[in-house]
Amino acid sequence: EDREVVILRNLQELDWNGNILYEIAEKRPGYTHHHDFVKIFNKKLGANTILSVVSKDITHEQAIARGADPKKRKDYTSNPDGVVEFDLKGNVIWEWNIFDHLIQDLDPSKANYGVVKDNPGKLDVNFGEGRAGDWIHINSLDYNETLGQLVVNNSTDSEFYIIDHQGTFMPGAPAGSIAAA
């Protein structure tokens, strides 16, 4: 029998009577809400927003293009986690994903080539047997409103990352905010 698989991609806030106050749908193909989210007050916008842990599908070819060593794995297809900020209308206004913060010392022709130990703010794409599946697996996040920073856990490597949100957020320029993060 054919069955339709439905992936829930919505976050909702309800009032005490069960009325939906807002609903955030991750509409982009290859992106899925994952585990945790937090409602914050974005000072630069002067409005509440939602920070959500979101998985992003990555193809084998995209990983190789970012310097993953093809000799370590036959397939780098994966879904690394990151954080996406939505306004309460569901628009993406900021994004951070570990896939955009990689370092590798394999291929000098790639933009992310460098000395791994000299880049503590980057993740070594070729660490161990090479990254696949959960490059980082974020189970939770929290936001420090005073510092404008968020913290996420990487349960895959038993690490925590502090991410500068307020310093990389550009009101009215989602593409610029995403590039700056």
Side-chain angles (χ1 to χ4, degrees):
E1 177 180 326
D2 289 335
R3 293 179 183 218
E4 181 179 344
V5 175
V6 177
I7 297 174
L8 299 177
R9 297 179 174 227
N10 298 349
L11 303 175
Q12 297 176 332
E13 183 175 351
L14 307 176
D15 67 17
W16 288 106
N17 296 317
N19 299 309
I20 297 172
L21 299 176
Y22 63 83
E23 183 170 25
I24 306 296
E26 177 52 271
K27 300 173 187 170
R28 299 175 294 172
Y31 287 78
T32 307
H33 290 293
H34 175 74
H35 278 302
D36 201 9
F37 67 96
V38 64
K39 185 177 183 179
I40 69 164
F41 183 77
N42 183 314
K43 292 179 185 178
K44 288 187 175 181
L45 280 181
N48 288 319
T49 61
I50 302 296
L51 292 170
S52 175
V53 176
V54 173
S55 296
K56 175 181 175 181
D57 293 343
I58 302 299
T59 66
H60 173 77
E61 293 75 19
Q62 288 172 310
I64 297 298
R66 290 281 173 94
D69 186 348
K71 294 176 185 170
K72 286 190 171 192
R73 289 187 143 326
K74 292 181 182 179
D75 187 7
Y76 280 101
T77 302
S78 56
N79 52 350
D81 288 343
V83 179
V84 176
E85 183 176 14
F86 298 89
D87 65 20
L88 296 186
K89 295 179 182 175
N91 299 306
V92 174
I93 58 173
W94 181 87
E95 181 176 351
W96 178 92
N97 190 287
I98 195 63
F99 192 71
D100 300 320
H101 301 275
L102 301 177
I103 189 74
Q104 54 84 27
D105 56 8
L106 177 71
D107 187 345
S109 71
K110 300 196 180 333
N112 65 338
Y113 178 78
V115 177
V116 173
K117 71 176 184 161
D118 293 342
N119 290 277
K122 305 279 184 180
L123 184 72
D124 180 4
V125 67
N126 293 309
F127 177 75
E129 296 300 313
R131 304 276 176 180
D134 283 348
W135 294 34
I136 66 170
H137 186 97
I138 300 173
N139 288 323
S140 61
L141 69 98
D142 201 2
Y143 185 71
N144 182 319
E145 186 176 327
T146 303
L147 298 176
Q149 299 172 334
L150 58 112
V151 62
V152 298
N153 70 316
N154 174 0
S155 61
T156 302
D157 293 331
S158 299
E159 297 177 331
F160 287 87
Y161 303 134
I162 297 172
I163 302 163
D164 179 14
H165 171 267
Q166 208 62 20
T168 59
F169 181 81
M170 299 175 203
S177 293
I178 291 167

